[in-house]
Amino acid sequence: MAQVARLVNELDPMPPGLVERTQFAVAIDDVDDIDIEVARWADNRTLAGVRGGLPGTITFFVGDLTVMVNVTRTGERQRIDGWLVPAGAHGVEVRVSEHGSSTTTADEGGRFVLTEVPRGTTQLLVRMNADQSRTVVTPTVDL
C-alpha cells in the first residue's frame, strides 16, 4: 500500500493550494445563522472555463435565486457587475482569499457593481433583503 500511495502522489498529486482554498470556502466568519444556502453552477461548462482563463459571465442558482456576474479584468484588479433575480436591494459581499471582502447593496432592479476587486480565490454571499436570515453563498472560483 505504501508503494501505491507513493505512485498516486507522484502521478496525481494534490493540487497546490487545495487545502487553503477549501478552508477559505467554508470559513464564513461573520454569518450568524447556520442556515446558509449554497448556490450551484448554472452550467458545468462555465466551471471549466473559469479554470482555464478569463471567466467572463458566470451564473449560479439556488432555489428561487439566480446570481449572474460578469468579470472584467482591470490590470491587477477586476470589476464585477452582477444581477440578482428576484430583483431587490439585497446585500452582496465579495470575499477574496487573503484580501478580505467588499460589500455593496444591489439596487431595486437587482444590479450591483464592485470595482477594484483583488484577483484570487473569490466567493459571493447574498443576504436576501426580504428575509434577513437567508444567506446564499456561491462556490469559490479563481478570478
Side-chain angles (χ1 to χ4, degrees):
M1 289 306 287
Q3 289 179 342
V4 170
R6 183 184 56 75
L7 184 62
V8 167
N9 285 333
E10 287 179 16
L11 296 178
D12 190 18
M14 185 182 331
L18 178 63
V19 172
E20 293 80 9
R21 289 192 311 266
T22 302
Q23 289 171 334
F24 171 76
V26 298
I28 302 174
D29 296 331
D30 60 348
V31 176
D32 295 330
D33 62 8
I34 198 159
D35 292 332
I36 297 174
E37 297 177 63
V38 179
R40 296 176 291 173
W41 299 94
D43 184 347
N44 287 333
R45 290 175 293 167
T46 304
L47 178 60
V50 170
R51 288 181 181 160
L54 184 63
T57 301
I58 306 168
T59 304
F60 306 97
F61 68 93
V62 61
D64 64 339
L65 177 67
T66 300
V67 181
M68 185 174 75
V69 295
N70 186 62
V71 181
T72 306
R73 294 259 166 89
T74 56
E76 292 298 315
R77 302 227 173 228
Q78 55 201 356
R79 173 186 168 112
I80 297 178
D81 292 89
W83 299 267
L84 305 173
V85 176
H90 309 301
V92 178
E93 178 180 354
V94 176
R95 300 175 59 233
V96 181
S97 179
E98 300 179 15
H99 294 284
S101 64
S102 302
T103 60
T104 191
T105 301
D107 65 20
E108 289 300 321
R111 185 172 188 280
F112 63 93
V113 176
L114 287 159
T115 59
E116 299 298 313
V117 177
R119 292 168 54 182
T121 302
T122 305
Q123 186 176 51
L124 282 82
L125 281 81
V126 177
R127 292 178 177 85
M128 302 300 288
N129 191 34
D131 181 3
Q132 294 296 331
S133 65
R134 183 176 183 205
T135 300
V136 173
V137 62
T138 67
T140 59
V141 59
D142 288 325
L143 298 178

